[in-house]
mmCIF file of all heavy atoms in Angstrom:
data_model
loop_
_atom_site.group_PDB
_atom_site.id
_atom_site.type_symbol
_atom_site.label_atom_id
_atom_site.label_comp_id
_atom_site.label_asym_id
_atom_site.label_seq_id
_atom_site.Cartn_x
_atom_site.Cartn_y
_atom_site.Cartn_z
ATOM 1 N N ARG A 1123 165.967 214.091 44.066
ATOM 2 C CA ARG A 1123 165.745 212.860 43.337
ATOM 3 C C ARG A 1123 164.230 212.688 43.132
ATOM 4 O O ARG A 1123 163.529 213.066 43.940
ATOM 5 C CB ARG A 1123 166.360 211.633 43.970
ATOM 6 C CG ARG A 1123 165.734 211.180 45.158
ATOM 7 C CD ARG A 1123 166.529 209.979 45.802
ATOM 8 N NE ARG A 1123 166.513 208.899 45.013
ATOM 9 C CZ ARG A 1123 167.391 207.754 45.150
ATOM 10 N NH1 ARG A 1123 168.280 207.784 46.183
ATOM 11 N NH2 ARG A 1123 167.338 206.700 44.361
ATOM 12 N N ASP A 1124 163.944 212.003 42.012
ATOM 13 C CA ASP A 1124 162.476 211.692 41.635
ATOM 14 C C ASP A 1124 162.503 210.185 41.383
ATOM 15 O O ASP A 1124 162.803 209.794 40.236
ATOM 16 C CB ASP A 1124 162.051 212.576 40.490
ATOM 17 C CG ASP A 1124 160.546 212.362 40.258
ATOM 18 O OD1 ASP A 1124 159.982 211.275 40.515
ATOM 19 O OD2 ASP A 1124 159.970 213.221 39.648
ATOM 20 N N ASN A 1125 162.169 209.395 42.299
ATOM 21 C CA ASN A 1125 162.146 207.980 42.189
ATOM 22 C C ASN A 1125 161.186 207.510 41.083
ATOM 23 O O ASN A 1125 161.460 206.451 40.350
ATOM 24 C CB ASN A 1125 161.952 207.239 43.467
ATOM 25 C CG ASN A 1125 163.042 207.408 44.417
ATOM 26 O OD1 ASN A 1125 164.218 207.577 43.981
ATOM 27 N ND2 ASN A 1125 162.799 207.345 45.663
ATOM 28 N N ALA A 1126 160.049 208.117 41.030
ATOM 29 C CA ALA A 1126 158.982 207.714 40.031
ATOM 30 C C ALA A 1126 159.598 207.898 38.615
ATOM 31 O O ALA A 1126 159.208 207.109 37.703
ATOM 32 C CB ALA A 1126 157.852 208.571 40.189
ATOM 33 N N LYS A 1127 160.495 208.896 38.299
ATOM 34 C CA LYS A 1127 160.871 209.131 37.054
ATOM 35 C C LYS A 1127 162.417 208.593 36.823
ATOM 36 O O LYS A 1127 162.941 208.671 35.798
ATOM 37 C CB LYS A 1127 160.992 210.664 36.745
ATOM 38 C CG LYS A 1127 159.698 211.320 36.667
ATOM 39 C CD LYS A 1127 159.710 212.789 36.364
ATOM 40 C CE LYS A 1127 158.422 213.466 36.379
ATOM 41 N NZ LYS A 1127 158.588 214.881 36.010
ATOM 42 N N LYS A 1128 162.896 207.981 37.938
ATOM 43 C CA LYS A 1128 164.199 207.450 38.017
ATOM 44 C C LYS A 1128 165.168 208.612 37.530
ATOM 45 O O LYS A 1128 166.058 208.363 36.683
ATOM 46 C CB LYS A 1128 164.447 206.380 37.059
ATOM 47 C CG LYS A 1128 163.578 205.035 37.365
ATOM 48 C CD LYS A 1128 163.740 203.891 36.475
ATOM 49 C CE LYS A 1128 162.916 202.744 36.821
ATOM 50 N NZ LYS A 1128 163.155 201.541 35.881
ATOM 51 N N MET A 1129 165.135 209.703 38.249
ATOM 52 C CA MET A 1129 165.944 210.869 37.938
ATOM 53 C C MET A 1129 166.610 211.304 39.192
ATOM 54 O O MET A 1129 166.007 211.361 40.314
ATOM 55 C CB MET A 1129 165.144 211.929 37.324
ATOM 56 C CG MET A 1129 164.452 211.648 35.988
ATOM 57 S SD MET A 1129 165.612 211.555 34.566
ATOM 58 C CE MET A 1129 166.149 213.319 34.514
ATOM 59 N N VAL A 1130 167.823 211.856 39.094
ATOM 60 C CA VAL A 1130 168.428 212.553 40.140
ATOM 61 C C VAL A 1130 169.042 213.821 39.536
ATOM 62 O O VAL A 1130 169.559 213.802 38.373
ATOM 63 C CB VAL A 1130 169.500 211.735 40.881
ATOM 64 C CG1 VAL A 1130 170.617 211.293 39.925
ATOM 65 C CG2 VAL A 1130 169.989 212.369 42.010
ATOM 66 N N TYR A 1131 168.984 214.938 40.276
ATOM 67 C CA TYR A 1131 169.412 216.225 39.706
ATOM 68 C C TYR A 1131 170.530 216.806 40.650
ATOM 69 O O TYR A 1131 170.742 216.360 41.734
ATOM 70 C CB TYR A 1131 168.145 217.161 39.757
ATOM 71 C CG TYR A 1131 166.941 216.625 38.994
ATOM 72 C CD1 TYR A 1131 166.027 215.979 39.760
ATOM 73 C CD2 TYR A 1131 166.841 216.751 37.710
ATOM 74 C CE1 TYR A 1131 164.873 215.476 39.021
ATOM 75 C CE2 TYR A 1131 165.776 216.262 36.977
ATOM 76 C CZ TYR A 1131 164.772 215.618 37.665
ATOM 77 O OH TYR A 1131 163.690 215.074 37.005
ATOM 78 N N LEU A 1132 171.175 217.774 40.081
ATOM 79 C CA LEU A 1132 172.188 218.493 40.804
ATOM 80 C C LEU A 1132 171.881 219.998 40.550
ATOM 81 O O LEU A 1132 172.206 220.466 39.444
ATOM 82 C CB LEU A 1132 173.601 218.127 40.527
ATOM 83 C CG LEU A 1132 174.625 218.777 41.414
ATOM 84 C CD1 LEU A 1132 174.598 218.203 42.825
ATOM 85 C CD2 LEU A 1132 176.107 218.585 40.860
ATOM 86 N N GLN A 1133 171.307 220.652 41.392
ATOM 87 C CA GLN A 1133 171.064 222.092 41.330
ATOM 88 C C GLN A 1133 172.331 222.766 41.821
ATOM 89 O O GLN A 1133 172.611 222.711 43.044
ATOM 90 C CB GLN A 1133 169.868 222.532 42.166
ATOM 91 C CG GLN A 1133 169.593 223.997 42.078
ATOM 92 C CD GLN A 1133 169.265 224.485 40.658
ATOM 93 O OE1 GLN A 1133 168.471 223.883 39.965
ATOM 94 N NE2 GLN A 1133 169.833 225.610 40.272
ATOM 95 N N MET A 1134 172.979 223.562 40.969
ATOM 96 C CA MET A 1134 174.242 224.237 41.339
ATOM 97 C C MET A 1134 174.032 225.770 41.315
ATOM 98 O O MET A 1134 173.685 226.273 40.187
ATOM 99 C CB MET A 1134 175.355 223.723 40.393
ATOM 100 C CG MET A 1134 175.508 222.298 40.319
ATOM 101 S SD MET A 1134 176.906 221.814 39.303
ATOM 102 C CE MET A 1134 176.394 222.402 37.658
ATOM 103 N N ASN A 1135 174.135 226.401 42.426
ATOM 104 C CA ASN A 1135 174.157 227.834 42.454
ATOM 105 C C ASN A 1135 175.409 228.481 42.950
ATOM 106 O O ASN A 1135 176.274 227.762 43.431
ATOM 107 C CB ASN A 1135 172.985 228.176 43.527
ATOM 108 C CG ASN A 1135 171.646 227.609 43.125
ATOM 109 O OD1 ASN A 1135 171.275 227.591 41.964
ATOM 110 N ND2 ASN A 1135 170.805 227.274 44.125
ATOM 111 N N SER A 1136 175.505 229.709 42.711
ATOM 112 C CA SER A 1136 176.669 230.463 43.063
ATOM 113 C C SER A 1136 177.942 229.868 42.612
ATOM 114 O O SER A 1136 178.895 229.535 43.307
ATOM 115 C CB SER A 1136 176.812 230.679 44.642
ATOM 116 O OG SER A 1136 175.615 231.363 45.065
ATOM 117 N N LEU A 1137 177.909 229.464 41.324
ATOM 118 C CA LEU A 1137 179.031 228.711 40.708
ATOM 119 C C LEU A 1137 180.347 229.507 40.766
ATOM 120 O O LEU A 1137 180.322 230.733 40.590
ATOM 121 C CB LEU A 1137 178.723 228.168 39.371
ATOM 122 C CG LEU A 1137 177.794 227.030 39.291
ATOM 123 C CD1 LEU A 1137 177.039 226.822 37.958
ATOM 124 C CD2 LEU A 1137 178.470 225.686 39.696
ATOM 125 N N LYS A 1138 181.398 228.729 40.936
ATOM 126 C CA LYS A 1138 182.794 229.315 41.034
ATOM 127 C C LYS A 1138 183.626 228.645 39.927
ATOM 128 O O LYS A 1138 183.415 227.507 39.440
ATOM 129 C CB LYS A 1138 183.395 228.942 42.399
ATOM 130 C CG LYS A 1138 182.629 229.458 43.535
ATOM 131 C CD LYS A 1138 183.220 229.017 44.880
ATOM 132 C CE LYS A 1138 182.473 229.518 46.096
ATOM 133 N NZ LYS A 1138 183.056 229.150 47.339
ATOM 134 N N PRO A 1139 184.697 229.235 39.438
ATOM 135 C CA PRO A 1139 185.584 228.696 38.432
ATOM 136 C C PRO A 1139 186.116 227.365 38.921
ATOM 137 O O PRO A 1139 186.279 226.426 38.080
ATOM 138 C CB PRO A 1139 186.716 229.705 38.383
ATOM 139 C CG PRO A 1139 185.973 231.033 38.712
ATOM 140 C CD PRO A 1139 185.095 230.700 39.781
ATOM 141 N N GLU A 1140 186.334 227.094 40.174
ATOM 142 C CA GLU A 1140 186.864 225.859 40.673
ATOM 143 C C GLU A 1140 185.755 224.738 40.569
ATOM 144 O O GLU A 1140 186.083 223.542 40.864
ATOM 145 C CB GLU A 1140 187.400 225.904 42.083
ATOM 146 C CG GLU A 1140 186.400 226.564 43.093
ATOM 147 C CD GLU A 1140 186.772 228.044 43.287
ATOM 148 O OE1 GLU A 1140 186.972 228.751 42.283
ATOM 149 O OE2 GLU A 1140 186.652 228.536 44.468
ATOM 150 N N ASP A 1141 184.617 225.034 40.229
ATOM 151 C CA ASP A 1141 183.543 224.037 39.998
ATOM 152 C C ASP A 1141 183.583 223.373 38.600
ATOM 153 O O ASP A 1141 182.919 222.508 38.297
ATOM 154 C CB ASP A 1141 182.069 224.560 40.163
ATOM 155 C CG ASP A 1141 181.833 225.021 41.654
ATOM 156 O OD1 ASP A 1141 182.207 224.229 42.550
ATOM 157 O OD2 ASP A 1141 181.219 226.100 41.836
ATOM 158 N N THR A 1142 184.452 223.996 37.766
ATOM 159 C CA THR A 1142 184.674 223.534 36.358
ATOM 160 C C THR A 1142 185.192 222.089 36.458
ATOM 161 O O THR A 1142 186.206 221.764 37.060
ATOM 162 C CB THR A 1142 185.660 224.410 35.694
ATOM 163 O OG1 THR A 1142 185.077 225.786 35.572
ATOM 164 C CG2 THR A 1142 185.910 223.786 34.188
ATOM 165 N N ALA A 1143 184.392 221.181 35.736
ATOM 166 C CA ALA A 1143 184.769 219.728 35.743
ATOM 167 C C ALA A 1143 183.762 218.988 34.875
ATOM 168 O O ALA A 1143 182.785 219.606 34.429
ATOM 169 C CB ALA A 1143 184.653 219.218 37.091
ATOM 170 N N VAL A 1144 184.051 217.846 34.603
ATOM 171 C CA VAL A 1144 183.030 216.876 34.050
ATOM 172 C C VAL A 1144 182.269 216.226 35.168
ATOM 173 O O VAL A 1144 182.898 215.711 36.124
ATOM 174 C CB VAL A 1144 183.639 215.804 33.117
ATOM 175 C CG1 VAL A 1144 182.535 214.938 32.582
ATOM 176 C CG2 VAL A 1144 184.451 216.428 32.020
ATOM 177 N N TYR A 1145 181.000 216.307 35.130
ATOM 178 C CA TYR A 1145 180.101 215.841 36.235
ATOM 179 C C TYR A 1145 179.462 214.440 35.862
ATOM 180 O O TYR A 1145 178.945 214.386 34.637
ATOM 181 C CB TYR A 1145 179.070 216.869 36.578
ATOM 182 C CG TYR A 1145 179.699 218.016 37.389
ATOM 183 C CD1 TYR A 1145 180.439 218.958 36.870
ATOM 184 C CD2 TYR A 1145 179.389 218.125 38.749
ATOM 185 C CE1 TYR A 1145 180.940 220.013 37.561
ATOM 186 C CE2 TYR A 1145 179.866 219.169 39.557
ATOM 187 C CZ TYR A 1145 180.654 220.072 38.906
ATOM 188 O OH TYR A 1145 181.152 221.141 39.612
ATOM 189 N N TYR A 1146 179.445 213.556 36.741
ATOM 190 C CA TYR A 1146 178.956 212.179 36.523
ATOM 191 C C TYR A 1146 177.988 211.866 37.635
ATOM 192 O O TYR A 1146 178.217 212.294 38.724
ATOM 193 C CB TYR A 1146 180.070 211.151 36.471
ATOM 194 C CG TYR A 1146 181.151 211.385 35.525
ATOM 195 C CD1 TYR A 1146 182.319 212.184 35.841
ATOM 196 C CD2 TYR A 1146 181.137 210.719 34.282
ATOM 197 C CE1 TYR A 1146 183.286 212.371 34.991
ATOM 198 C CE2 TYR A 1146 182.257 210.859 33.461
ATOM 199 C CZ TYR A 1146 183.317 211.650 33.813
ATOM 200 O OH TYR A 1146 184.305 211.847 32.861
ATOM 201 N N CYS A 1147 176.954 211.158 37.304
ATOM 202 C CA CYS A 1147 176.185 210.638 38.299
ATOM 203 C C CYS A 1147 176.366 209.083 38.396
ATOM 204 O O CYS A 1147 176.707 208.408 37.366
ATOM 205 C CB CYS A 1147 174.663 210.845 38.198
ATOM 206 S SG CYS A 1147 173.820 209.992 36.819
ATOM 207 N N ALA A 1148 176.197 208.467 39.573
ATOM 208 C CA ALA A 1148 176.354 207.066 39.700
ATOM 209 C C ALA A 1148 175.784 206.611 41.122
ATOM 210 O O ALA A 1148 175.516 207.572 41.944
ATOM 211 C CB ALA A 1148 177.850 206.667 39.743
ATOM 212 N N SER A 1149 175.636 205.418 41.306
ATOM 213 C CA SER A 1149 175.258 204.990 42.615
ATOM 214 C C SER A 1149 176.420 205.065 43.621
ATOM 215 O O SER A 1149 177.619 205.219 43.099
ATOM 216 C CB SER A 1149 174.850 203.426 42.520
ATOM 217 O OG SER A 1149 175.964 202.660 42.046
ATOM 218 N N VAL A 1150 176.147 205.106 44.809
ATOM 219 C CA VAL A 1150 177.159 205.248 45.791
ATOM 220 C C VAL A 1150 177.237 204.063 46.715
ATOM 221 O O VAL A 1150 176.240 203.791 47.468
ATOM 222 C CB VAL A 1150 177.021 206.494 46.693
ATOM 223 C CG1 VAL A 1150 178.121 206.629 47.787
ATOM 224 C CG2 VAL A 1150 176.991 207.730 45.844
ATOM 225 N N PRO A 1151 178.280 203.161 46.775
ATOM 226 C CA PRO A 1151 179.421 203.290 45.894
ATOM 227 C C PRO A 1151 179.114 202.979 44.382
ATOM 228 O O PRO A 1151 178.130 202.228 44.094
ATOM 229 C CB PRO A 1151 180.352 202.266 46.493
ATOM 230 C CG PRO A 1151 179.486 201.189 47.041
ATOM 231 C CD PRO A 1151 178.284 201.944 47.531
ATOM 232 N N PRO A 1152 179.990 203.455 43.538
ATOM 233 C CA PRO A 1152 179.744 203.197 42.170
ATOM 234 C C PRO A 1152 179.926 201.741 41.755
ATOM 235 O O PRO A 1152 180.844 201.111 42.297
ATOM 236 C CB PRO A 1152 180.844 204.103 41.412
ATOM 237 C CG PRO A 1152 181.308 205.081 42.428
ATOM 238 C CD PRO A 1152 181.142 204.377 43.803
ATOM 239 N N THR A 1153 179.100 201.210 40.920
ATOM 240 C CA THR A 1153 179.195 199.950 40.352
ATOM 241 C C THR A 1153 178.983 200.021 38.861
ATOM 242 O O THR A 1153 178.189 200.821 38.361
ATOM 243 C CB THR A 1153 178.186 198.969 41.012
ATOM 244 O OG1 THR A 1153 176.817 199.437 40.709
ATOM 245 C CG2 THR A 1153 178.403 198.878 42.409
ATOM 246 N N GLY A 1154 179.594 199.164 38.076
ATOM 247 C CA GLY A 1154 179.427 199.163 36.715
ATOM 248 C C GLY A 1154 180.128 200.271 35.987
ATOM 249 O O GLY A 1154 181.002 201.013 36.592
ATOM 250 N N SER A 1155 179.873 200.594 34.799
ATOM 251 C CA SER A 1155 180.547 201.622 34.031
ATOM 252 C C SER A 1155 180.034 202.973 34.349
ATOM 253 O O SER A 1155 178.897 203.198 34.676
ATOM 254 C CB SER A 1155 180.409 201.253 32.543
ATOM 255 O OG SER A 1155 179.089 201.231 32.159
ATOM 256 N N TRP A 1156 180.816 203.954 34.045
ATOM 257 C CA TRP A 1156 180.471 205.385 34.185
ATOM 258 C C TRP A 1156 179.717 205.810 33.008
ATOM 259 O O TRP A 1156 179.940 205.336 31.903
ATOM 260 C CB TRP A 1156 181.622 206.257 34.441
ATOM 261 C CG TRP A 1156 182.355 206.009 35.755
ATOM 262 C CD1 TRP A 1156 183.356 205.065 36.024
ATOM 263 C CD2 TRP A 1156 182.039 206.713 36.959
ATOM 264 N NE1 TRP A 1156 183.647 205.232 37.360
ATOM 265 C CE2 TRP A 1156 182.863 206.184 37.956
ATOM 266 C CE3 TRP A 1156 181.055 207.712 37.386
ATOM 267 C CZ2 TRP A 1156 182.868 206.570 39.333
ATOM 268 C CZ3 TRP A 1156 181.124 208.080 38.678
ATOM 269 C CH2 TRP A 1156 181.901 207.549 39.587
ATOM 270 N N GLY A 1157 178.793 206.887 33.110
ATOM 271 C CA GLY A 1157 178.287 207.417 31.909
ATOM 272 C C GLY A 1157 179.274 208.303 31.205
ATOM 273 O O GLY A 1157 180.458 208.422 31.602
ATOM 274 N N GLN A 1158 178.716 209.121 30.291
ATOM 275 C CA GLN A 1158 179.650 209.925 29.546
ATOM 276 C C GLN A 1158 180.002 211.239 30.222
ATOM 277 O O GLN A 1158 180.904 211.944 29.901
ATOM 278 C CB GLN A 1158 179.140 210.215 28.185
ATOM 279 C CG GLN A 1158 178.081 211.373 28.093
ATOM 280 C CD GLN A 1158 176.734 210.998 28.655
ATOM 281 O OE1 GLN A 1158 176.476 209.810 28.996
ATOM 282 N NE2 GLN A 1158 175.843 211.990 28.630
ATOM 283 N N GLY A 1159 179.145 211.570 31.199
ATOM 284 C CA GLY A 1159 179.293 212.801 31.955
ATOM 285 C C GLY A 1159 178.818 214.036 31.213
ATOM 286 O O GLY A 1159 178.463 213.941 30.042
ATOM 287 N N THR A 1160 178.791 215.176 31.918
ATOM 288 C CA THR A 1160 178.437 216.376 31.236
ATOM 289 C C THR A 1160 179.391 217.522 31.729
ATOM 290 O O THR A 1160 179.615 217.556 32.927
ATOM 291 C CB THR A 1160 176.941 216.776 31.632
ATOM 292 O OG1 THR A 1160 176.530 217.938 30.884
ATOM 293 C CG2 THR A 1160 176.730 217.027 33.058
ATOM 294 N N GLN A 1161 179.866 218.242 30.727
ATOM 295 C CA GLN A 1161 180.902 219.274 31.080
ATOM 296 C C GLN A 1161 180.240 220.507 31.583
ATOM 297 O O GLN A 1161 179.319 221.047 31.095
ATOM 298 C CB GLN A 1161 181.636 219.604 29.824
ATOM 299 C CG GLN A 1161 182.650 220.703 29.965
ATOM 300 C CD GLN A 1161 183.924 220.297 30.780
ATOM 301 O OE1 GLN A 1161 184.559 219.274 30.565
ATOM 302 N NE2 GLN A 1161 184.266 221.113 31.756
ATOM 303 N N VAL A 1162 180.765 220.922 32.804
ATOM 304 C CA VAL A 1162 180.448 222.277 33.363
ATOM 305 C C VAL A 1162 181.638 223.129 33.356
ATOM 306 O O VAL A 1162 182.653 222.714 33.874
ATOM 307 C CB VAL A 1162 179.906 222.145 34.811
ATOM 308 C CG1 VAL A 1162 179.652 223.462 35.475
ATOM 309 C CG2 VAL A 1162 178.597 221.338 34.784
ATOM 310 N N THR A 1163 181.517 224.337 32.801
ATOM 311 C CA THR A 1163 182.625 225.289 32.729
ATOM 312 C C THR A 1163 182.113 226.609 33.298
ATOM 313 O O THR A 1163 181.131 227.165 32.794
ATOM 314 C CB THR A 1163 183.083 225.468 31.224
ATOM 315 O OG1 THR A 1163 183.551 224.211 30.696
ATOM 316 C CG2 THR A 1163 184.275 226.426 31.248
ATOM 317 N N VAL A 1164 182.886 227.008 34.291
ATOM 318 C CA VAL A 1164 182.451 228.305 34.938
ATOM 319 C C VAL A 1164 183.626 229.328 34.613
ATOM 320 O O VAL A 1164 184.702 229.197 35.142
ATOM 321 C CB VAL A 1164 182.316 228.125 36.472
ATOM 322 C CG1 VAL A 1164 181.879 229.424 37.084
ATOM 323 C CG2 VAL A 1164 181.353 226.975 36.764
#
């Protein structure tokens, strides 16, 4: 995460077909609405 930029990242290596999904970021626990997500297809 980069707090100065208000960014959080997910570095994904050695991807597998079972990682295929729509990925969302949120606070933990989630509050408010979800974003649109981003599709990852392996």
Side-chain angles (χ1 to χ4, degrees):
R1123 68 187 295 165
D1124 185 333
N1125 288 335
K1127 295 182 179 179
K1128 297 184 184 178
M1129 297 288 293
V1130 62
Y1131 307 94
L1132 188 69
Q1133 178 65 45
M1134 305 186 294
N1135 300 325
S1136 302
L1137 282 161
K1138 304 176 180 180
E1140 51 264 42
D1141 295 318
T1142 295
V1144 179
Y1145 284 72
Y1146 303 86
C1147 71
S1149 58
V1150 180
T1153 59
S1155 59
W1156 292 91
Q1158 83 284 355
T1160 186
Q1161 175 71 48
V1162 172
T1163 302
V1164 185

